Amino acid sequence: MQLKYVGAMPVVSQNGVGFDHTKPDKYTFLNAAIELLEALSFGATTTTKHLYNVTGREYEGDELLSLLKKFYPDLDAALSSRDEKCNHLVEGLITRVHENTNINEDEKVAWLNNIELMNEYYHQFITNEEAYQCALEALGQEIHDARITEVAFPLFRNYGLVLHDLDYVMQNRKSPIDSKLTIETGNEGLIGKLIITHR
């Protein structure tokens, strides 16, 4: 298994391959998620204020994978379903082609070939998506364990988007955690804040 950027979700047809940019590759957000994990991984503590300097460093795919395994030891088991998810996605696309009565046989063959051409791409897209989900779950666990009540972050490098996605993950935990994202003006410009309420 490897993590690497592939791009937005493909949209395949008999005419070729396009990309749905409303469904970006989650690899884009993994770097910010890992940096947040490193910042918030101090475990159970009575300290309420922590300072972390973001490095702005871009990790390579193998570094992201190694760091994610550190925070999510069962990563391989969690990602074991990615083949099944990819097969399910591809089978669904193939079924849609066969059931489409608005195109002729040559167009069906072209469409099926385009799906086959993108098979590895789909697999990597789903792998990145599953790895990102594991990073969010690990972040939720770190916040739970340390009883973190506030996270302030700079409004760049996807931190806000990661914490926005984290909100859904925390609300759907077995012991839910409520959170609210806000944007405030500070001495150094705009900063984001995630306010967290433990139940």
Side-chain angles (χ1 to χ4, degrees):
M1 176 188 60
Q2 63 177 344
L3 296 175
K4 64 179 181 179
Y5 179 77
V6 286
M9 181 68 156
V11 179
V12 180
S13 73
Q14 70 274 22
N15 299 319
V17 178
F19 297 92
D20 182 351
H21 294 287
T22 64
K23 295 178 182 172
D25 182 358
K26 296 299 184 184
Y27 182 88
T28 305
F29 310 119
L30 268 172
N31 206 87
I34 294 297
E35 276 199 280
L36 287 166
L37 268 169
E38 289 187 302
L40 302 175
S41 66
F42 36 75
T45 179
T46 56
T47 306
T48 57
K49 294 197 183 257
H50 299 271
L51 181 62
Y52 179 78
N53 246 342
V54 290
T55 62
R57 179 173 176 228
E58 287 294 325
Y59 293 107
E60 297 295 326
D62 56 341
E63 292 175 295
L64 287 171
L65 188 58
S66 176
L67 287 166
L68 187 52
K69 284 182 179 180
K70 172 181 151 187
F71 295 108
Y72 200 103
D74 280 345
L75 183 64
D76 290 333
L79 295 181
S80 64
S81 66
R82 70 188 190 281
D83 291 335
E84 182 182 328
K85 287 182 179 181
C86 183
N87 292 339
H88 181 70
L89 171 68
V90 170
E91 286 168 13
L93 294 171
I94 290 170
T95 299
R96 279 187 28 212
V97 172
H98 288 302
E99 292 175 351
N100 192 325
T101 57
N102 296 323
I103 57 175
N104 63 40
E105 285 306 310
D106 288 339
E107 289 172 313
K108 285 184 181 184
V109 168
W111 198 339
L112 292 170
N113 286 339
N114 289 336
I115 292 170
E116 178 63 30
L117 180 70
M118 297 305 291
N119 200 19
E120 277 187 49
Y121 188 108
Y122 285 124
H123 193 272
Q124 188 63 54
F125 185 89
I126 289 171
T127 299
N128 294 347
E129 194 170 61
E130 294 293 302
Y132 179 63
Q133 188 64 33
C134 290
L136 292 177
E137 288 174 22
L139 264 171
Q141 190 62 45
E142 294 293 342
I143 287 170
H144 173 268
D145 291 348
R147 306 290 292 176
I148 296 168
T149 58
E150 183 179 302
V151 177
F153 57 93
L155 290 178
F156 65 98
R157 293 179 51 81
N158 295 321
Y159 301 118
L161 290 169
V162 170
L163 291 171
H164 178 268
D165 290 344
L166 177 64
D167 180 52
Y168 177 80
V169 170
M170 291 196 304
Q171 287 179 16
N172 289 289
R173 286 173 46 90
K174 287 183 183 173
S175 52
I177 301 171
D178 295 325
S179 64
K180 177 182 168 187
L181 275 172
T182 63
I183 297 174
E184 299 177 8
T185 305
N187 293 338
E188 298 175 13
L190 294 175
I191 59 164
K193 282 193 178 176
L194 180 69
I195 310 300
I196 301 156
T197 308
H198 297 268
R199 296 182 192 179

